[in-house]
Amino acid sequence: MTIGLEIIKEVLSLYNIKGQVTTVYDFIHYRDENELKIISKVDFTDRDSLVIKFVREDKHPSHIIESQSAFSEYLRSQGISTPRRYLSEDKYCIQYKLDYMYVDITVEDYIGEEIRTLDAHLAMKVGELMGKIHTLSENGNCLIGQSTIFDLLGYNEVSGYNTFCELSETHNIDVTMYQKIKELYHKRLEKIRVHWNTLPRFATQGDISINNLTYVGDTIGIFDYNIAGDETLVGDMVLEGLLLAYEMDLSFGLTDNDRASLFQHFIQGYLTERPLTVDEKNVLSDIYSIAFAFWFTKIKYDEHSLEKLIERNEKEKVGRLLHEIYTSLVRNDFDEQCELNWKVLGS
């Protein structure tokens, strides 16, 4: 369905927002029988634009949306450039009947177009931003009540390990190498588990990609807390840093060969804002090695991934990729890639 002007005006009145609406544009418009997600930009003649979200999703209940909104507002109150969320009486998230279903609604400021490409300067600035957010969350003891999609020991959308096991067990690949890789993986994982419950774990924005960032003057602004949740801060740093560096579109003149350097810049930016604890340092290389070895596009989806190489029966390339995965698990690649100097970085 289209969100008509009358519906927009009614929602605005529920939040006691006045203004002359000119246009409504949907960034996202999805609906099936049971779920709905419509994100609309509303322009006015006499005030700045707003974003209204209409959501009905089992994985995003209203109490979580309320917690995400409160976290966003806390960060804004502490100087992070993020959209203001509006209150309807004392709630950020309210229910509204849309046709035959009740949906959850939030209203926030529109702060600008998303950033399109990544370079070294931006990678550093995004690292600094995440470091600031993590520090504020830790200092404020912020918790949302759910995990993110980057839980190293739980649901992790950037891990290809399960697919790696499936491919290795159902296709004719080097059994000896496969077993060596599995053994190294579990050895690294057990080292992480020893420290896991002592690692700082607080609310995070959960999706720091360039598509959720914008420039507000010279400042980096961040929006979209749709999957914000509680996560170990060091795990969030590594997994989201890899996602930023290895999956985002690159600025003109950069190639895939620059992605490791972009990750370095991100990490260095982060560490200038938030030094790691002793326990976080103890698991840093293990988290990185597991994440990088089984990065999801390395195992699946990409044209040069393990899955595609097996499908094309490119046995020599399969062997080389398995050796690369093995090497990633053997070496302390994080220290080598990031050229860490803890004293210089104030850690």
Side-chain angles (χ1 to χ4, degrees):
M1 67 168 295
T2 300
I3 302 296
L5 192 56
E6 290 306 312
I7 292 175
I8 295 295
K9 288 180 177 179
E10 185 175 359
V11 169
L12 293 174
S13 70
L14 293 173
Y15 285 85
N16 197 30
I17 296 172
K18 295 178 171 41
Q20 182 64 45
V21 177
T22 57
T23 56
V24 179
Y25 170 78
D26 289 348
F27 289 125
I28 295 175
H29 193 120
Y30 166 79
R31 184 174 187 173
D32 65 15
E33 185 177 346
N34 299 310
E35 293 195 332
L36 175 146
K37 186 173 186 179
I38 301 173
I39 300 179
S40 301
K41 177 175 178 270
V42 183
D43 294 325
F44 300 82
T45 60
D46 50 356
R47 60 163 298 141
D48 292 336
S49 300
L50 298 173
V51 173
I52 302 178
K53 300 180 181 180
F54 302 82
V55 177
R56 179 190 170 98
E57 296 177 315
D58 290 340
K59 61 185 177 181
H60 293 130
S62 58
H63 71 280
I64 292 296
I65 297 174
E66 187 70 18
S67 294
Q68 292 168 334
S69 300
F71 177 56
S72 171
E73 278 297 285
Y74 166 72
L75 294 179
R76 191 174 71 87
S77 75
Q78 300 300 306
I80 298 297
S81 183
T82 200
R84 174 190 173 186
R85 302 251 177 157
Y86 289 83
L87 286 165
S88 177
E89 296 183 355
D90 61 345
K91 293 287 187 181
Y92 297 109
C93 177
I94 62 172
Q95 284 204 321
Y96 181 84
K97 191 172 184 181
L98 200 61
D99 282 357
Y100 62 88
M101 68 168 66
Y102 281 95
V103 300
D104 296 311
I105 297 177
T106 57
V107 179
E108 63 190 65
D109 285 338
Y110 172 76
I111 63 168
E113 294 293 325
E114 65 187 37
I115 295 174
R116 302 291 183 179
T117 59
L118 182 70
D119 60 19
H121 175 73
L122 179 58
M124 179 82 77
K125 299 297 288 184
V126 178
E128 292 172 2
L129 176 62
M130 178 184 275
K132 289 176 184 176
I133 289 174
H134 282 185
T135 298
L136 290 170
S137 184
E138 188 172 13
N139 290 345
N141 195 30
C142 298
L143 295 169
I144 287 173
Q146 69 172 14
S147 295
T148 71
I149 60 173
F150 303 117
D151 182 350
L152 190 80
L153 300 187
Y155 179 69
N156 180 7
E157 286 200 355
V158 292
S159 172
Y161 179 73
N162 290 336
T163 301
F164 167 80
C165 291
E166 292 168 6
L167 290 169
S168 301
E169 291 169 359
T170 56
H171 293 79
N172 183 24
I173 67 169
D174 188 330
V175 176
T176 301
M177 180 61 79
Y178 168 53
Q179 290 300 329
K180 285 183 178 180
I181 288 171
K182 281 191 70 174
E183 288 172 10
L184 281 171
Y185 169 80
H186 285 290
K187 183 179 179 180
R188 289 275 196 181
L189 197 63
E190 284 308 308
K191 287 178 66 180
I192 295 169
R193 289 187 191 280
V194 168
H195 298 278
W196 193 251
N197 290 332
T198 64
L199 300 175
R201 184 176 188 271
F202 296 97
T204 69
Q205 185 268 352
D207 190 12
I208 298 187
S209 62
I210 57 173
N211 308 114
N212 292 330
L213 300 170
T214 189
Y215 281 109
V216 182
D218 295 328
T219 303
I220 300 295
I222 186 165
F223 54 92
D224 193 356
Y225 292 72
N226 180 52
I227 55 175
D230 309 325
E231 211 52 76
T232 56
L233 302 184
V234 65
D236 189 55
M237 177 192 76
V238 173
L239 295 181
E240 293 213 60
L242 286 171
L243 185 70
L244 181 85
Y246 282 88
E247 300 302 326
M248 299 297 106
D249 291 337
L250 301 176
S251 296
F252 180 77
L254 298 181
T255 71
D256 286 342
N257 293 330
D258 297 301
R259 292 190 181 277
S261 176
L262 293 174
F263 183 67
Q264 288 180 21
H265 281 83
F266 171 84
I267 294 298
Q268 289 167 4
Y270 181 97
L271 294 175
T272 60
E273 292 294 334
R274 181 182 177 269
L276 301 186
T277 67
V278 172
D279 283 332
E280 287 176 320
K281 292 181 190 178
N282 285 336
V283 298
L284 189 56
S285 285
D286 298 303
I287 290 174
Y288 173 80
S289 293
I290 284 177
F292 190 70
F294 298 103
W295 190 248
F296 71 122
T297 53
K298 183 184 297 184
I299 307 301
K300 196 174 182 178
Y301 305 116
D302 188 85
E303 278 304 305
H304 303 290
S305 67
L306 182 64
E307 179 186 57
K308 297 297 184 182
L309 295 177
I310 289 173
E311 286 178 2
R312 296 195 296 265
N313 198 31
E314 298 185 51
K315 294 182 180 180
E316 185 177 340
K317 290 183 179 180
V318 168
R320 286 204 298 267
L321 183 52
L322 290 177
H323 187 266
E324 179 187 321
I325 293 170
Y326 174 80
T327 301
S328 295
L329 292 169
V330 170
R331 297 165 56 195
N332 286 327
D333 272 358
F334 186 93
D335 293 347
E336 295 172 21
Q337 279 219 27
C338 291
E339 302 171 356
L340 293 181
N341 184 325
W342 298 109
K343 291 182 180 178
V344 170
L345 291 170
S347 301

